[in-house]
Amino acid sequence: VVQKMQAFYAKTVDLKSKFKQVYTDTLYNRKRTSYGSVLVKKPGMMRWDYHKPERKSFIADGKVLWVWEPRDKQAFRNPLSVDTLSTGLTFLLGKGDLNKEFDVSYATDKKDQLGGPDDLVLKLKPHKRSSQFEYLLMAIDPTDYKVSESMVVNRHNRNHFAFSDVTINAKLADKQFRFRPPKDTRIIDGSKLKR
């Protein structure tokens, strides 16, 4: 299943989709639901635009990752490398090998069920312990092996994405992944903060 899924994304030049994100803080039993759209284009370009309840964007042009918060009139700029992205994202860009980096099994726990009744739900535990997450869940559509839902799970929270209206090889333009901050935006350079 993993090989077929990776083969599907290896043939994918770009994609666009709507998403619903439900972030659950299991420690305090709080949920936050957001809606938006995502664009992905090889090599190394991504754009996540949140529309509701609050506008914000994560934009990667292959070299720089911007986090734009229009309400606060600020943007964070960080150098982008594949190493800074989780493997759960890099396979979309044709990088990494899930079988080499994860112990993959079918999800059997009821709390780990997601996707539709026919979806194949995989549980991916990293071989190397990660501070970012304990494991990933992916619901795979068995007709074409694309990811319909994903969830990042760690000790105190669950970050669940459901994708809809997915278009593959939509001929997305590179300019859709470029970001020019509006004039009144305060720019915070993340590379300087780490020194």
Side-chain angles (χ1 to χ4, degrees):
V1 172
V2 171
Q3 287 171 341
K4 287 179 179 178
M5 176 182 68
Q6 291 208 158
F8 172 85
Y9 287 102
K11 292 184 293 187
T12 301
V13 176
D14 63 38
L15 68 86
K16 64 179 182 177
S17 174
K18 293 178 183 174
F19 69 82
K20 174 185 177 183
Q21 178 188 21
V22 180
Y23 182 87
T24 305
D25 183 329
T26 53
L27 191 62
Y28 296 103
N29 198 24
R30 291 186 196 139
K31 280 189 180 183
R32 184 176 71 237
T33 303
S34 305
Y35 299 87
S37 58
V38 59
L39 307 174
V40 177
K41 184 176 182 181
K42 296 175 185 173
M45 291 181 271
M46 285 190 170
R47 182 178 187 122
W48 295 77
D49 290 313
Y50 285 74
H51 308 307
K52 291 191 295 187
E54 184 181 331
R55 282 184 61 218
K56 64 181 172 180
S57 296
F58 297 82
I59 306 158
D61 64 3
K63 295 178 182 174
V64 177
L65 172 64
W66 288 94
V67 180
W68 181 41
E69 299 172 341
R71 189 178 76 172
D72 296 329
K73 296 184 178 179
Q74 64 184 14
F76 297 85
R77 178 177 54 205
N78 284 286
L80 179 75
S81 74
V82 171
D83 297 336
T84 63
L85 296 172
S86 79
T87 309
L89 284 177
T90 56
F91 84 94
L92 292 173
L93 302 170
K95 309 277 186 186
D97 185 330
L98 295 177
N99 272 321
K100 284 184 181 174
E101 296 172 57
F102 292 90
D103 177 24
V104 183
S105 61
Y106 286 107
T108 54
D109 195 317
K110 281 188 177 178
K111 73 178 190 305
D112 289 338
Q113 295 306 304
L114 63 154
D118 296 326
D119 284 352
L120 306 168
V121 183
L122 300 180
K123 182 175 183 176
L124 297 88
K125 291 190 81 168
H127 293 314
K128 293 179 185 173
R129 288 188 70 175
S130 168
S131 59
Q132 295 176 325
F133 61 92
E134 287 180 31
Y135 59 91
L136 303 173
L137 295 168
M138 291 184 183
I140 315 295
D141 182 333
T143 59
D144 57 12
Y145 294 91
K146 75 172 175 278
V147 176
S148 60
E149 296 184 30
S150 69
M151 187 184 291
V152 179
V153 179
N154 72 26
R155 195 170 160 201
H156 296 307
N157 58 62
R158 293 179 157 239
N159 197 5
H160 179 197
F161 286 90
F163 301 99
S164 61
D165 298 337
V166 179
T167 304
I168 303 295
N169 297 333
K171 297 184 178 176
L172 301 175
D174 287 359
K175 66 182 180 182
Q176 291 177 270
F177 302 90
R178 292 190 199 113
F179 176 66
R180 289 191 175 84
K183 286 183 180 178
D184 60 350
T185 303
R186 181 169 72 106
I187 297 170
I188 300 157
D189 195 325
S191 61
K192 291 178 181 174
L193 293 174
K194 291 172 187 172
R195 288 183 191 156

